[in-house]
Amino acid sequence: MSYPLLQTINDPADLRQLPRERLRALSDELRAFVLESVSKTGGHLSSNLGTVELTIALHYVFTTPHDRIVWDVGHQSYPHKILTGRRDRMATLRQLGGLSGFPRRDESPYDTFGTAHSSTSISAALGMALAAQQKGETRHAIAVIGDGSMTAGMAFEALNNGGVHDQARLIVILNDNDMSISPPVGALNRYLAQLMSGRFYATAREVGKKVLGVAPPLLELAKRFEQNAKNMVVPATLFEKFGFNYVGPIDGHDLDSLIPTLENLRQLKGPQFLHVVTKKGQGYKLAEAYPVAYHGPGKFDPAVGLQKPATPPKSTFTQVFGQWLCDMAAQDERLVGITPAMREGSGLVEFERRFPQRYHDVGIAEQHAVTFAAGLACEGLKPVVAIYSTFLQRAYDQLVHDVAIQNLPVVFALDRAGLVGADGATHAGAFDIPFLRCIPNVSIATPADERETRQLLSSAYAQNHPVAVRYPRGAGAGTEPLPGLDALPFGQGEIRRESGRTSARVAILAFGTLLYPALQAAESLDATVANMRWAKPLDLALLRDVAARHDYLVTVEEGAVAGGAGSAVLEALQSLGETKPVLVLGLPDVFIEHGDPAKLLAGVGLDAAGIEASIRQRFALPASAA
């Protein structure tokens, strides 16, 4: 497909040279380009199709990058990337060495703030606006935030702070599409849903114009009544009480509404709040009808849409967790499932259907999710918090103060532990072992495969203190989970392979799914392999036995080396009085970028070949060792 108009836009300065009447044609081309591009690379689709006109309007009205735009989360930033000089690189999106799927400051001066976790935009934009004010610079800072992200407390903390700065050139744009990754929930969403009735209101208004237009006095009277009715129907009071001038709601796909409104807001000082209503998947009927399915699809044919694979894929760790949760809930009525706005991603769709009274989606509010779970546990229930490893970081104080200090039996099902591939450093679960291991009362299970995940979830649930079970994105070795709810022994590992060597004996202590590449490496090395299963507590009896019978020890984990499971082994060996040489393998002290997970693991030496090579080099083992 050709894009004659879009190909003339290499930066927003080119966009601002276009006559306004040509912007509609540009939006059509830009939307088509987004669809074609994402269908070839995979990535976020529905959200980007929904923000085409808004993106064009922002870059058309404001002098970017002098004026700062902060995209909350960044799922909707592809049109922005395309208009800011990265159109020709979209074929590399989310691939190793290619464009990030999120805004990044080191990628473009137009990416004024790096995002990927939600609800940070207003805080960042407020900081930029006040910095400009302090430096005597005239510039705007614009935060574009979705209605799902507005459910987070951080957004309201920023509104509360921002509203008192009556000279700040801060504009908050609420992109109201009534859909986050999971359907938005809570009282705020109901409030925004009331504002969605503005669509009905606008239609009635147009009909009234036609009917009353023949009698001007009646029309004038109707306009006055309309204004009073609007004040009653549209509850803008909430945002105005924060100190913002509320404008809207307006159609976020209507450039003839967007551009004049933004031009007017540009002339005003003080905090402004613009409410725009958009449709996720706009312009692509399949994404409009199924916005969740098209939130982050892989490669597909736009003419056909998403198709079920010819052969059923292996069960993912997420699916194993979801099935376990349903099975355990059927057995124990005390179980309660909690997710911070990640019903689909965390595998709770079936649980919600079967146990709606015991399912709680608290919105994008990780802090609340953890303390809410603590409150449930205080009353004798058994909460299971299904949360991505990278998102648990956002509730660290609650984890320490509200759960661990009180030693409450909360199970944390940590999805996306380790590297996550295309989403990159912002979504990688690299730090959970270090930040959990240092907290008293908290235990950490590291299952090696799907079967162990189910068993160790049962082990965690049986405890009377906080336990985290970490597992990666996608599928694992393909081991079929056992049908029952039998638990593995708490805090105990196992020997999976015994070395036959009589000298230079190597033992590999594997934590989690890296057990399998460790076993491959061990075949060439004739090494012993221990499946440790628990990063805390360590199986000290197993560790003592392995240390006594081997010359060299190696730890392997898909997590940060600094403070991780390998560090725990070193500490334990010291306490046991063992002084054997130890090689600690894991994720290095850098943020690992987006790309194919297998390539990323190979790049940091955590595939079978890399593990073997590191062991031979560290302990000077000959290449012919067997």
Side-chain angles (χ1 to χ4, degrees), residues 253-268:
H253 301 298
D254 182 3
L255 288 165
D256 291 333
S257 294
L258 280 171
I259 290 176
T261 302
L262 290 171
E263 288 175 338
N264 289 337
L265 292 177
R266 187 183 59 186
Q267 306 305 317
L268 302 176

Side-chain angles (χ1 to χ4, degrees), residues 76-96:
Q76 75 287 60
S77 63
Y78 297 179
H80 160 81
K81 288 176 181 276
I82 294 165
L83 294 175
T84 54
R86 289 169 277 182
R87 182 184 66 248
D88 293 339
R89 295 188 63 205
M90 286 298 290
T92 70
L93 185 73
R94 292 158 49 95
Q95 299 169 37
L96 188 63

Side-chain angles (χ1 to χ4, degrees), residues 214-556:
V214 296
L218 290 177
L219 180 59
E220 182 61 30
L221 179 63
K223 284 182 178 179
R224 293 180 183 178
F225 175 77
E226 173 194 356
Q227 186 57 47
N228 290 330
K230 182 181 177 183
N231 290 338
M232 291 184 290
V233 173
V234 181
T237 308
L238 172 64
F239 299 108
E240 290 180 346
K241 288 297 184 183
F242 276 114
F244 283 73
N245 173 44
Y246 175 91
V247 176
I250 66 171
D251 185 347
H253 301 298
D254 182 3
L255 288 165
D256 291 333
S257 294
L258 280 171
I259 290 176
T261 302
L262 290 171
E263 288 175 338
N264 289 337
L265 292 177
R266 187 183 59 186
Q267 306 305 317
L268 302 176
K269 288 185 178 180
Q272 309 295 319
F273 192 102
L274 174 61
H275 180 187
V276 303
V277 177
T278 61
K279 186 177 184 65
K280 274 206 172 182
Q282 174 75 10
Y284 182 50
K285 295 301 182 184
L286 290 172
E288 290 181 15
Y290 306 103
V292 173
Y294 285 88
H295 169 72
K299 300 176 183 180
F300 69 101
D301 181 352
V304 178
L306 299 178
Q307 300 291 302
K308 291 184 178 180
T311 57
K314 292 189 296 183
S315 293
T316 65
F317 284 95
T318 302
Q319 290 169 331
V320 170
F321 163 73
Q323 185 61 57
W324 171 85
L325 191 67
C326 289
D327 293 346
M328 185 61 78
Q331 177 175 295
D332 188 348
E333 64 182 13
R334 298 174 301 161
L335 186 149
V336 177
I338 302 168
T339 178
M342 295 301 293
R343 180 187 65 180
E344 286 79 10
S346 293
L348 273 73
V349 173
E350 180 65 12
F351 179 81
E352 181 195 20
R353 187 189 69 80
R354 291 180 56 187
F355 306 97
Q357 300 305 314
R358 291 194 268 161
Y359 166 80
H360 298 278
D361 183 344
V362 302
I364 302 176
E366 294 88 356
Q367 293 170 303
H368 164 61
V370 173
T371 303
F372 172 56
L376 292 168
C378 284
E379 298 302 319
L381 298 184
K382 295 281 285 186
V384 178
V385 180
I387 189 169
Y388 290 7
S389 169
T390 185
F391 295 153
L392 183 59
Q393 296 163 186
R394 309 186 73 175
Y396 194 63
D397 179 67
Q398 289 69 29
L399 177 64
V400 174
H401 189 271
D402 300 330
V403 175
I405 288 178
Q406 302 186 96
N407 200 25
L408 294 171
V410 178
V411 174
F412 294 92
L414 301 190
D415 206 322
R416 271 65 166 178
L419 300 181
V420 292
D423 283 335
T426 57
H427 283 59
F431 311 115
D432 50 70
I433 294 178
F435 75 62
L436 289 170
R437 194 172 69 81
C438 63
I439 305 174
N441 295 331
V442 176
S443 297
I444 312 164
T446 62
D449 52 35
E450 297 88 341
R451 179 175 296 177
E452 281 195 356
T453 296
R454 182 176 173 94
Q455 294 172 307
L456 288 175
L457 283 165
S458 292
S459 303
Y461 190 79
Q463 306 311 309
N464 199 34
H465 65 270
V467 183
V469 182
R470 73 186 303 263
Y471 46 88
R473 183 179 191 174
T479 56
E480 188 69 25
L482 300 175
L485 291 167
D486 295 337
L488 290 169
F490 178 76
Q492 292 185 27
E494 62 171 356
I495 296 293
R496 287 289 290 265
R497 185 189 190 280
E498 191 71 66
S499 171
R501 294 177 63 88
T502 57
S503 63
R505 287 168 56 86
V506 175
I508 305 173
L509 284 62
F511 294 84
T513 55
L514 292 189
L515 169 69
Y516 287 91
L519 285 168
Q520 292 180 48
E523 288 298 320
S524 298
L525 296 162
D526 191 15
T528 294
V529 178
N531 175 20
M532 297 302 291
R533 287 184 178 151
W534 296 85
K536 182 183 179 182
L538 285 176
D539 187 339
L540 294 181
L542 177 60
L543 180 60
R544 184 184 293 108
D545 172 66
V546 168
R549 297 188 295 108
H550 294 81
D551 302 297
Y552 309 118
L553 303 181
V554 181
T555 67
V556 181

Side-chain angles (χ1 to χ4, degrees), residues 141-157:
I142 304 110
V144 183
I145 183 169
D147 53 295
S149 293
M150 283 295 294
T151 63
M154 186 175 177
F156 285 89
E157 293 171 16

